[in-house]
Each structure stands twice: as structure tokens, then as C-alpha cells.
């Protein structure tokens, strides 16, 4: 979202004397100071949104704000221009929806627990994400993709997310397996029972070819953004 636009780079250099085009994550605090300053531009957008929505009511209630973002980790989010803790601290969002988009060439771990800890501290709902396109509802893909997605949903529920969001859910209307399994995403005990007692995994085991099912279908593991080095895809 926010990289190295020349006017922004020059503004930071005038303020601090630092040429940010020479920094990467190995520079520690100097790099973090830069990406935190840079992220404030999007934070300001949320401040303006909050101000604009303040007088508006729908059915007597204020309009809630939700932001959907990659679950790649708080530091990587900050490097991408998203200062989530600052949003929470200022009360700028009511909910975040975590999307398992892998855009860091496999460097993400998509651990939702740090987001949940922040959400509990500031009273912000944290929704986990399971991608659907290319994994559910595709007649060319075997039900093993459903098993992998169901296991991903179960892990999110066990971690304590406030709900599960499925990306591009229109695609799941195509397949009977997904129509049956998706309602279980909201019920831990029934999802556990299905995975324990059905024979779908025995018939279609999870393997290296389908284990990534449930990630955002735009994910890439062969290339992505990086916080190390000063290459073309540097954050």
C-alpha cells in the first residue's frame, strides 16, 4: 500500500535526515521508525472515516468499521502500511477480518493469536479467514480440499476467533461438499465430530498438494514482498 513514493521519502528525510531507501529490517529501530511513520497515512484515513461516520446512525446505531487484512503477522502488516495496534488504541475499527493471503513468499505463519491478544486488550472483534476460491466448490478438485479447509477452520475456532470469514463465498455454491461443510465452521463440536467420524479424510487425505487449501487464492509462495534487502519487492 505504501512503499517509497518520492515525495514521502523526501518528507521523511527532511524530518529525520534518514534516506529510507538505504534501510531494511536489519537496521532495527531505524527501519521500524520509518515504517511506523509511513503507516500513519493509512491510519489518518481511518481517523477521517471515523470523523465522517460519527453523526450517521443506522437503525439507531452507529456504523461499524471493519478492515480486512493479511494475517501475515503484525510486523509485516506494519511494513505494508497497516499499524493495527494504533488503530485499536485510537478506537478506529470495530472488527478486523484476517485473510490468509500469503504474499511474503512463505515467510508468513498466519498465527492469529497475536491479533486476538490485541483484540481482547482493546475490545475489537477478530475474525479468522478461510479462502474458498479454488479450494471449495470446484468440481475439478477432490473433497480433500474440503478436509484441509475444515481443519483450517477448526484451528481458528480453537484459537478463539470471534467468527470466520470466507473469501469469495459465491464460489462455494457450486459444490455439494462445500455446502455441507461450511455451516460446520461455526460449531466447534460438530466440526470436530465430522472430521473424527466421517471417512472423507481416509478417502482423500491431506497431502502436500492440498495442504495449503484455505489460503487466499491470490497467494504466492514463489515470490513476494520482503523486509530484508533493497530489491524490487522490498517493503
Amino acid at each position: 500500500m505504501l512503499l517509497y513514493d518520492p515525495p514521502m521519502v523526501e518528507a521523511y528525510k527532511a524530518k529525520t535526515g534518514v534516506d529510507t531507501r538505504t534501510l531494511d529490517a536489519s537496521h532495527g529501530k531505524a527501519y521500524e521508525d520509518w515504517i511506523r511513520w509511513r503507516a500513519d497515512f493509512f491510519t489518518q484515513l481511518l481517523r477521517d472515516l471515523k470523523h465522517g461516520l460519527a453523526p450517521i446512525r443506522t437503525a439507531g446505531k452507529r456504523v461499524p468499521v471493519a478492515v480486512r487484512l493479511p494475517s501475515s503477522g503484525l510486523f509485516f502488516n506494519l511494513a505494508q502500511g497497516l499499524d493495527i495496534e494504533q488503530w485499536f488504541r485510537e478506537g478506529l475499527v470495530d472488527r478486523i477480518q484476517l485473510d490468509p493471503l500469503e504474499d511474503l513468499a512463505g515467510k508468513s505463519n498466519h498465527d492469529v493469536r497475536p491479533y486476538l491478544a490485541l483484540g481482547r486488550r482493546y475490545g475489537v472483534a477478530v475474525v479468522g479467514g478461510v479462502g474458498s476460491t479454488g479450494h471449495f466448490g470446484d468440481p475439478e478438485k477432490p473433497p480433500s480440499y474440503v478436509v484441509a479447509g475444515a481443519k483450517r477452520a477448526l484451528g481458528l475456532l480453537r484459537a478463539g476467533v470471534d467468527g470466520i470469514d470466507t473469501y469469495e463465498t459465491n464460489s462455494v455454491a457450486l459444490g455439494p461438499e462445500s455446502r455441507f461443510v461450511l455451516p460446520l465452521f461455526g460449531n466447534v463440536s460438530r466440526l470436530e465430530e465430522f472430521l473424527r467420524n466421517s471417512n472423507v479424510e481416509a478417502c482423500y487425505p491431506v497431502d502436500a498438494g492440498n495442504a495449503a487449501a484455505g489460503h487466499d487464492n491470490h497467494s504466492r509462495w514463489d515470490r513476494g514482498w520482503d523486509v530484508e534487502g533493497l530489491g524490487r519487492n522490498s517493503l
Side-chain angles (χ1 to χ4, degrees):
M1 284 180 52
L2 294 163
L3 294 172
Y4 294 86
D5 191 53
M8 188 168 62
V9 169
E10 290 304 317
Y12 191 78
K13 186 175 182 180
K15 175 182 173 67
T16 65
V18 175
D19 185 347
T20 59
R21 293 166 294 186
T22 66
L23 297 177
D24 71 357
S26 68
H27 291 84
K29 186 176 184 302
Y31 177 75
E32 186 170 337
D33 287 346
W34 153 241
I35 60 175
R36 196 172 298 282
W37 179 88
R38 179 173 63 177
D40 196 60
F41 287 96
F42 185 73
T43 302
Q44 185 59 47
L45 175 66
L46 291 177
R47 294 182 187 118
D48 294 343
L49 178 63
K50 181 179 180 179
H51 177 76
L53 289 175
I56 301 173
R57 293 291 182 273
T58 300
K61 297 180 180 180
R62 65 181 184 83
V63 179
V65 174
V67 178
R68 181 170 168 265
L69 52 96
S71 54
S72 47
L74 294 169
F75 181 74
F76 284 123
N77 289 144
L78 184 62
Q80 292 179 321
L82 309 173
D83 192 347
I84 297 166
E85 185 167 6
Q86 187 65 27
W87 305 350
F88 287 14
R89 190 181 296 117
E90 295 186 32
L92 302 179
V93 296
D94 301 282
R95 180 174 70 246
I96 59 170
Q97 295 175 202
L98 299 175
D99 178 43
L101 171 68
E102 179 52 62
D103 62 352
L104 296 161
K107 296 181 178 68
S108 309
N109 63 18
H110 299 285
D111 184 352
V112 301
R113 290 172 294 182
Y115 300 94
L116 288 166
L118 275 182
R120 301 295 182 265
R121 186 190 311 168
Y122 292 101
V124 177
V126 177
V127 175
V130 180
S132 57
T133 303
H135 304 302
F136 299 119
D138 186 340
E140 301 300 319
K141 300 280 180 67
S144 54
Y145 284 83
V146 173
V147 175
K151 287 192 169 189
R152 188 171 299 279
L154 182 58
L156 291 169
L157 292 172
R158 285 172 172 170
V161 295
D162 296 300
I164 292 181
D165 165 70
T166 52
Y167 175 52
E168 293 188 341
T169 45
N170 54 296
S171 68
V172 304
L174 300 174
E177 297 94 350
S178 59
R179 287 203 298 270
F180 171 72
V181 173
L182 280 174
L184 301 180
F185 282 17
N187 189 309
V188 175
S189 60
R190 294 196 64 188
L191 187 54
E192 288 176 334
E193 183 182 4
F194 168 72
L195 289 170
R196 182 173 59 249
N197 295 330
S198 74
N199 69 342
V200 65
E201 187 174 2
C203 297
Y204 301 100
V206 177
D207 57 28
N210 59 47
H215 279 83
D216 187 309
N217 67 295
H218 298 103
S219 296
R220 295 294 300 266
W221 281 266
D222 57 339
R223 67 172 185 265
W225 299 106
D226 205 340
V227 296
E228 298 174 351
L230 303 173
R232 180 178 179 182
N233 292 327
S234 297
L235 288 170

